Amino acid sequence: MSPGDDLHADLLRRVTMHRRRFLGLAVAGAGSLALGACSDGGDDAAGGTTTTGSPTTRPATSTTVPDAQGIAADPFTLGVASGDPLPDSVILWTRLAPEPLDPGGAGGLGADDVEVAWEVAADEEFERLVASGTDVAGAEFGHSLHVDATGLEPDTWYWYRFRIGPYTSPVGRTRTTPADDADVDELRFAFASCQLRTNGHWTSYDHVLADRPDLVVFLGDYIYEYPGGTGPLRVPLESEPADLADYRVLYAAYKGDAKLQAVHAAAPWVVTWDDHEVENNYAAGVPEHDEDAPDFEARRRAAYQAYWEHLPLRLEPPEGTSLRLYRTLRWGSLATFFVLDGRQYRTDQVCGDSIPTVASSCPELDDESHTMLGSEQEAWLTDGLAQADATWKVIAQQTVMKALVLGDLVLNVDQWDGYPAARRRLLRSIADGGVENVVVLTGDIHAAGAADLRLPDAGTDGEVVAHELVGTSISSPGLGAALAGAIDLSAMGLAYANFADHGYVRCSVTPQRWEAEFVAVDTIDRPTSEASVDARVEVRAGTAGLRRL
Ligand code: FE
Ligand code: CA
């Protein structure tokens, strides 16, 4: 057993215990919490010795814990999360929901705002508190909290928790980034995407947890709009979500998963969305099906708000159907991540979103005005890449950038293949600016892969200007072995592809090299699974072109 296994077991145990403890437990009165009388009830997550139920000693702290404000059951059912770290701060997230699947979307709470205490400590026992305060979980935003915990040290791990009345949240572990100019020996992170709840268990997350990554990057399809499923994988909606209440129920069903909660509690996440956070293959204001157009603005507004409410974003809440999700994350002098939004500003998919499209019969493909990112984001990215002084420039985004064209068949016009002019502009700007060490991280396709991106069109010929790593899905259905048999990897310029398995990508990034391990789990049909490394790929700093190891 590796040390990671211990951490993993420990975190899962805490999440599980935390829930069990509050089932039917008559909690101590609110006033006694500050005196430490509730250490066997609400404080389980703080100590490592609570499996026996023996009381732990609560350290003296200066935190003033608000009373229960009428909350009659554990409100921390959705766990905790952190995200968007900076050298001196990190966003701490939770959402109060004593009844998370409440069909009205209020999580079992009323219309009143709720005051919550938060604590950040340098140790797991919360003996060395470094920051604390209270914040208001507004009813308007589903009683979610996005606390900006400031005044922290760079490149440092912390523990955090929330408290209200007799209730204490599970403990989360998070970290700050290195100082902007710091030399960094190594960044270890995982990236993942596409977790269709109803299709299987999220067995990958046990392995992400065991890796003890510095960071988790999620590239979209965090939820899917589909109801269905059975047993623990059931999503309690009768039809696709239409309003804010429906989307909140969806997130609550997804975020109830103990493995997902454990990984959120283990490291900061940096997230972006793709289509299914709203609905399949939407493009800005255009829904998947034309007949849904009249209701789509309201639906998108609800979906955007629910997304903001449930993820640890360093952003103000959306205004209507606008949420500026694209942003950067800097990891010292080692890496700058450009986190993209390929959904909110794109032009509609060409040629009726037909799949496959025969390129020669779809003149729209040549339309220079079509855009994946919108002009503002595109300029932001181009300028950012040109100015970036970190060794690695990482483009964390949604859909496949490599050209996947079989003869004259454009396999998927929802990908960058449907936006060839936009892709050409981006690749040209990288080449013209002499931007080296560009790595594109991709989700969406439910398949793993690795490829060099070449000018002018990400095809098989031309100068290598960037490198693309595609992660397969956590649980969404893959394309299957049939397609794998139809594709000649080398003819398409792919260094690696896996169309069958589920998993994630584990990256080790140093000033000299980037190594990616494509992790595949054996199954998603059971709650746990073995995992193995299906392929390893390396990019050396200063040398264009990735290499299979
Ligand atoms: Fe997906
Ligand atoms: Ca997608």
Side-chain angles (χ1 to χ4, degrees), residues 124-208:
E124 200 171 357
E125 314 299 326
F126 286 81
E127 285 170 5
R128 287 176 288 138
L129 213 58
V130 297
S132 65
T134 60
D135 207 340
V136 173
E140 182 190 358
F141 295 108
H143 296 99
S144 60
L145 279 163
H146 299 75
V147 173
D148 187 7
T150 58
L152 307 179
E153 295 296 317
D155 205 9
T156 302
W157 284 97
Y158 293 97
W159 286 261
Y160 64 96
R161 64 185 177 188
F162 299 91
R163 297 166 66 185
I164 172 171
Y167 311 108
T168 300
S169 74
V171 170
R173 187 169 171 267
T174 191
R175 59 162 300 155
T176 50
T177 60
D180 285 351
D181 59 353
D183 292 329
V184 178
D185 292 337
E186 185 185 22
L187 163 64
R188 293 165 57 254
F189 78 97
F191 72 90
S193 62
C194 294
Q195 48 189 23
L196 175 57
R197 180 71 178 160
T198 55
N199 197 54
H201 295 274
W202 297 339
T203 51
S204 286
Y205 284 136
D206 287 340
H207 302 280
V208 176

Side-chain angles (χ1 to χ4, degrees), residues 93 140-142 144 146 244 248 305-311:
W93 173 93
E140 182 190 358
F141 295 108
S144 60
H146 299 75
L244 181 57
R248 283 176 176 167
Q305 178 169 335
Y307 183 78
W308 182 84
E309 288 174 353
H310 289 87
L311 288 157

Side-chain angles (χ1 to χ4, degrees), residues 140-463:
E140 182 190 358
F141 295 108
H143 296 99
S144 60
L145 279 163
H146 299 75
V147 173
D148 187 7
T150 58
L152 307 179
E153 295 296 317
D155 205 9
T156 302
W157 284 97
Y158 293 97
W159 286 261
Y160 64 96
R161 64 185 177 188
F162 299 91
R163 297 166 66 185
I164 172 171
Y167 311 108
T168 300
S169 74
V171 170
R173 187 169 171 267
T174 191
R175 59 162 300 155
T176 50
T177 60
D180 285 351
D181 59 353
D183 292 329
V184 178
D185 292 337
E186 185 185 22
L187 163 64
R188 293 165 57 254
F189 78 97
F191 72 90
S193 62
C194 294
Q195 48 189 23
L196 175 57
R197 180 71 178 160
T198 55
N199 197 54
H201 295 274
W202 297 339
T203 51
S204 286
Y205 284 136
D206 287 340
H207 302 280
V208 176
L209 191 60
D211 291 346
R212 304 195 67 154
D214 291 305
L215 177 75
V216 176
V217 177
F218 197 89
L219 299 174
D221 292 355
Y222 188 93
I223 60 160
Y224 283 71
E225 72 274 31
Y226 306 128
T230 55
L233 304 180
R234 192 176 106 78
V235 169
L237 290 179
E238 297 306 315
S239 54
E240 289 190 13
D243 58 18
L244 181 57
D246 290 345
Y247 279 103
R248 283 176 176 167
V249 169
L250 258 180
Y251 278 98
Y254 274 62
K255 292 190 77 89
D257 185 89
K259 295 176 198 293
L260 177 65
Q261 286 193 13
V263 178
H264 270 301
W269 285 44
V270 171
V271 303
T272 186
W273 58 27
D274 194 23
D275 49 344
H276 289 283
E277 283 85 353
V278 180
E279 75 156 353
N280 182 53
N281 280 11
Y282 86 96
V286 182
E288 180 182 16
H289 305 292
D290 293 344
E291 62 269 26
D292 295 333
D295 301 319
F296 191 62
E297 186 178 338
R299 182 176 180 180
R300 189 155 72 110
R301 189 186 313 125
Y304 280 21
Q305 178 169 335
Y307 183 78
W308 182 84
E309 288 174 353
H310 289 87
L311 288 157
L313 294 162
R314 184 183 291 280
L315 298 174
E316 293 300 309
E319 290 183 20
T321 53
S322 173
L323 180 68
R324 192 187 141 152
L325 190 59
Y326 62 90
R327 61 206 188 280
T328 56
L329 168 81
R330 186 175 177 121
W331 207 272
S333 62
L334 182 66
T336 293
F337 289 73
F338 297 86
V339 181
L340 304 192
D341 177 351
R343 281 292 154 192
Q344 189 175 175
Y345 314 104
R346 66 158 75 190
T347 44
D348 195 16
Q349 292 89 352
V350 292
C351 300
D353 206 354
S354 54
I355 302 169
T357 298
V358 179
S360 56
S361 71
C362 180
E364 262 190 85
L365 277 169
D366 297 325
D367 190 329
E368 291 282 330
S369 72
H370 283 216
T371 175
M372 175 67 93
L373 303 175
S375 53
E376 213 170 289
Q377 181 179 196
E378 191 174 309
W380 166 87
L381 175 61
T382 305
D383 293 349
L385 285 167
Q387 289 162 20
D389 55 2
T391 302
W392 298 96
K393 293 84 178 174
V394 191
I395 301 177
Q397 55 100 49
Q398 293 80 16
T399 56
V400 170
M401 202 174 282
K402 182 70 181 175
L404 297 180
V405 180
L406 276 179
D408 196 30
L409 288 182
V410 180
L411 294 180
N412 186 349
V413 294
D414 185 62
Q415 299 176 171
W416 286 85
D417 272 343
Y419 302 80
R423 179 172 58 196
R424 205 176 307 123
R425 288 195 296 270
L426 175 57
L427 295 178
R428 280 246 163 79
S429 80
I430 292 170
D432 292 351
V435 185
E436 288 191 308
N437 307 325
V438 177
V439 178
V440 177
L441 309 179
T442 300
D444 177 60
I445 195 174
H446 310 172
D452 291 327
L453 299 176
R454 297 167 183 272
L455 268 177
D457 59 2
T460 52
D461 300 316
E463 177 196 356

